[in-house]
Amino acid sequence: MNKKQPYMNAGAAILFVIFGLLFFVLLYRFYSIQITGEVGGQPLTAKAQQKYSKEGMIQAARGDILDRNGEVVAEDAAAYTLVAILDKKMTTNSKKPKHVKDPNKTAKQLSQIIDMDESEIYRVLSEGIKKKRFQVEFGKAGKDISHQTKKKIEALGIPGITFIRDSKRFYPNGIFASHLVGYKESIVQEDGTNKIVSMGIEKQLDDELTGKNGKINYESDLWGYLLPDGEEKITPAQNGNDIYLTLDKKIQTFLEDAMDQAVKQYKPKKIIAIVADPKTGQILAMGQRPTFHPKTKEGIDKSWHNEAIETSYEPGSTMKIFTLAAAIQENKFDPNETYQSGAYRVTPKDQPIHDHNVSGWGPITYLEGVQRSSNVAFAKIAKEKLGFDKFREYLSKFGFDKPTGIELPGETSGKIQYTYPIEKITTAYGQGTAITAIQQIQAATAIANDGKMLKPHVVEKIVNHDTGKTIKEITPEVVSTPISAATASKVRDILETVVTSPKGTGGRYKIDGYSVAGKTGTANIPGPGGRYLQGPNSYMFSFLGMAPKDNPKLIVYVAVQEPQLKGEETGQGAIPVSAIFNPVMQNSLHYLNIQPSTVTKATVKKLPNLMGQSVEEAVKSLNADGYDTVVLGSGTKITGQLPEAGTAILEGEKVIIQTDGDLTAPDMSGWSLRDVMKIANLAGLKLNSKGKGYVVQQNLKPKAVLRDGDILIVDLKTPEEQWEEAKKGNKEEKGKTEENSEDKVQD
């Protein structure tokens, strides 16, 4: 027997015992897990569910922003980020590469579509390959790729080029009430964190616009793929609510175009403009210059603030409207009473205040003082007629000492300087005290709306994006009744004479067919060291007007700061202001179908439906009824008409009918702007008008073929202007200068 045999048997026995124990431990553990369903106190079913259950996010869409007519102003749209896959491991079939195989060829092909140089694309690809990156992007040029551009790139079949889908805010109208609508975006900072930047309605109503993301829970296999028979649990996303603004796209476009023309011609430092409905307080248009493009943010560095809401400034003589209203309400204004114009000393210690022409006009009536915008007249009204305490009460009644509460962020309040007698006097004619443009609009609603002052609104309603159900509707809100209806009517009558009287400062604001009531303003601008800027153009020129005078449908406020006026135009701030006010007011009244005051004196008929009729027969019928018919096109059947069927129009008014043939330009000599607009609307032309009165020149020659999107430019002149030019051979404008001499006077 081998002496080592006993030792080997003993070792085998020990190993047998050890493995036997381990077997029984494992067997015990197995049955224990089966019975309890737990490991380490943790339920195995929950762990398995956690491992094989996946959760995905269903992204909610941000609500749309629309105008009062349902035209989209801002919406979410699909956008894509361009990505290049560089990792060779992504390619499993050499015949169908899934990574960028040829950087040179890729760079050349992409540069033909995206806004990036071929060399720069090649550099990005090469550096990515060198640093062994899985994928690379192409900066700004590769972001916000549209669906159309994506399809173009995909059609090239470039290996390794793919896209990441995202949702991007889209502003289809470009520069369009940009500071009012605003924007919201997430900016990646240097430390990798995201910073949310927003303004305007996008900021103010962010909670309403922002939806709530949904989720989907599903069962997957080991590799994360959805199991065919797996359970799914879906929590739907709640999309953000839609915001309907009070803005009217057409009126806003009138305003944007007029401001663009004024900037091009007069290069002012600033423009603020608002169009409002005095019966509801709704803001139909609001704009400013400088402005910015909401997509590219180009221009945002020049003006971050909504100037109509966030900036207060000395209003100038537009403030006299409300001083006058207070005096009439208190029965302290006698239009026929005379006073000595020129200068007025508030107290023996104060320096005298002067009228804008320094010397005044001698003894004149208070009515003439209003027309000439006499500072002395309003100083005497505030101190001697009303009294400072009573005048201060009206400043509060007209809302000048608190914000309006409009649905926009950052609204500031006016700052009324009312400590010393001289401050109280200057406030009466619009200097020293600072208020906002929106406060002036709110106060003006009391003048236009028979004494009832309405809170301004930019939101009409909030609607559920998915169901279309109205969640909240904004109704007109009377915030004060500072004056009576009788007082408001008297104020409008007097303000009309500011425009119609030869002595008035508002001669440039006459609009054919409509009575305009309003007041000019020329405000000083504070400069360095607290001193006012000096120079004939160093003012904030403005006009606050309403029309038609007897029952105003619109209030328009325009302020232009430091326009570059030269030659005979120097100091005539009414020139650039009226270049905005007049076309905006006139075009908006026409668009809203507000009939001129002459309509009631003429025969009115309703236009029949001409669609599909023979051109020859329709022309005969219309001419027999006394209409001036203009045929647009060379076809034989009518495909369009303006005015529309059922519209009440004047006998002798032009009726434009569109045919199924090529559209050609008519001779528009002698036409009113209203008739020109009919042509522009039917033919899809972009209309620019200069002057007022009737057409004397057009850029599209008669019989020229009209294309959709063509620009139509018409020059208009009044009969008086045409007569003067004919008489003097267009060499002198002395008569015209004398007629509008009031515009040379600052008020």
Side-chain angles (χ1 to χ4, degrees), residues 183-256:
Y183 68 92
K184 180 181 179 181
E185 69 174 358
S186 176
I187 299 176
V188 180
Q189 302 185 99
E190 292 183 0
D191 60 0
T193 60
N194 284 350
K195 179 182 179 182
I196 302 298
V197 180
S198 60
M199 67 186 302
I201 285 291
E202 294 273 28
K203 177 180 181 179
Q204 185 74 7
L205 298 180
D206 185 50
D207 289 343
E208 293 286 353
L209 289 163
T210 302
K212 185 178 180 181
N213 292 334
K215 59 184 179 180
I216 176 171
N217 297 95
Y218 60 92
E219 294 180 358
S220 67
D221 61 15
L222 183 63
W223 293 275
Y225 292 107
L226 182 68
L227 293 174
D229 298 323
E231 293 184 5
E232 294 181 42
K233 184 179 180 181
I234 298 174
T235 303
Q238 297 177 16
N239 294 321
N241 295 323
D242 293 339
I243 307 297
Y244 282 76
L245 301 177
T246 61
L247 295 184
D248 189 297
K249 182 179 178 180
K250 195 73 174 179
I251 296 176
Q252 183 69 39
T253 302
F254 291 151
L255 184 59
E256 299 286 356

Side-chain angles (χ1 to χ4, degrees), residues 166 220 560 735:
D166 193 9
S220 67
V560 178

Side-chain angles (χ1 to χ4, degrees), residues 671-686:
W671 287 26
S672 68
L673 182 61
R674 187 180 186 188
D675 289 329
V676 174
M677 290 175 67
K678 295 173 187 175
I679 294 290
N681 288 337
L682 278 177
L685 307 177
K686 295 179 180 179

